Every structure is written in structure tokens, then in C-alpha cells.
Amino acid sequence: MNDTPFWQVKTLEQMTEAEWESLCDGCGRCCLNKLEDWDTGEIIWTRVRCRLLDDGSCRCSDYENRQAQVPDCINLTPKEVRTLNWLPPTCGYRLVRDGEDLYWWHHLISGSRDTVHEAGVSVRGRTVPEEGMELEEYEDHLVEWPFEVPDTAR
């Protein structure tokens, strides 16, 4: 019997729906609003969270209906993961895409959904709500940490 974890032997396209969904580490970083520089295409991160992102759990409050409620919510698929350049460096989808292993704090390794928070990877307590905020105000909330790997996570 082969005890090698599925993410080390399967491509993103070969994964079952349950395996695919389990790659999400629950950090919430992809649910932060991002700005794009129209001239350079550079993605600029904000700490402004999607209205469906629960700041405490770092999970979508209506995952099943998210795209109906937030039309620009990106449904991650293997094809999308292979083209998106803004996925955080800690993202399980990105790591598997790039042939790297998951970090120690990923729930598939640690066995706990809390280690993503304990390692300082999640957005818990670091965001502001988008409700009532004008798009121009997003520039007051620019951050770089979503595209970094915290020392505590290595």
C-alpha cells in the first residue's frame, strides 16, 4: 500500500473534488481585495476583506452560493490555478502546482485547522470589512504581508 499523500502523486487535474477542496488551507488571503495597476498589471494587495469572509474563522460565510452573491469571486479550478500569478506563496494550490510540498501548519499535515492561524499565515484579525467602503478608500489599506511567508510559518 502506498502511503504517499495524494497531493504528492496527483496533478491538480487528477484530484477528486474532496481532495481539491482539502488543499485550501483556510488562510483567507485569496479573499482579500486586490487592486491591479492598469499600466503594469501588478497586483497590489489590500487588507480589505470580501464581505463573505468571516474575519474570525477565515472561511467564506456562504461558500456554496459565493459566486451568486459576489459575481467577481474567482472559482479556483486547476486551469485558474495554473494561470493566476497572485496566489499567495503559502497557498496549497500554488504549492502543489509548483511541485512543492505543503507547509507543516497545513491541516493535511498538522491534522488541525487551527495551525494556519497559530503559524501567523491566516488573515485572522488583520482585515477590515469592505461594506460601506468606496473603492478609492482601498488605497488607504495597502499591505504586502499576504504575498509573504511569515518566519513563524517556515
Side-chain angles (χ1 to χ4, degrees):
M1 186 164 108
N2 187 351
D3 289 336
T4 306
F6 70 88
W7 64 87
Q8 292 179 353
V9 295
K10 290 185 175 184
T11 65
L12 296 172
E13 291 80 8
Q14 293 171 327
M15 292 181 188
T16 66
E17 184 177 345
E19 290 169 338
W20 174 264
E21 291 294 329
S22 72
L23 277 184
C24 177
D25 56 36
C27 73
R29 290 180 180 206
C30 64
C31 299
L32 296 176
N33 285 289
K34 293 160 273 307
L35 303 174
E36 183 175 359
D37 184 308
W38 287 39
D39 295 328
T40 66
E42 177 188 10
I43 299 296
I44 303 162
W45 289 82
T46 75
R47 64 187 190 115
V48 180
R49 70 179 177 266
C50 169
R51 64 185 175 86
L52 296 180
L53 182 67
D54 180 286
D55 187 54
S57 69
C58 298
R59 306 296 284 182
C60 183
S61 63
D62 193 7
Y63 186 74
E64 295 302 320
N65 301 305
R66 69 192 183 280
Q67 291 183 289
Q69 292 195 48
V70 181
D72 60 347
C73 177
I74 294 177
N75 182 28
L76 286 182
T77 64
K79 182 179 179 182
E80 288 290 335
V81 167
R82 295 201 185 284
T83 61
L84 295 174
N85 63 354
W86 54 259
L87 289 173
T90 55
C91 175
Y93 297 108
R94 178 181 176 157
L95 291 169
V96 171
R97 175 195 75 189
D98 295 347
E100 298 177 36
D101 205 357
L102 302 176
Y103 284 95
W104 65 267
W105 46 262
H106 192 287
H107 67 93
L108 291 173
I109 304 287
S110 71
S112 170
R113 290 244 179 221
D114 290 328
T115 49
V116 67
H117 309 299
E118 293 164 4
V121 177
S122 78
V123 302
R124 180 184 279 174
R126 302 167 83 178
T127 67
V128 295
E130 69 180 2
E131 292 89 7
M133 189 179 297
E134 298 295 326
L135 187 58
E136 297 79 31
E137 294 176 77
Y138 283 30
E139 292 181 9
D140 296 335
H141 300 281
L142 302 182
V143 291
E144 293 182 11
W145 56 262
F147 212 69
E148 298 172 352
V149 180
D151 289 340
T152 54
R154 296 180 193 274

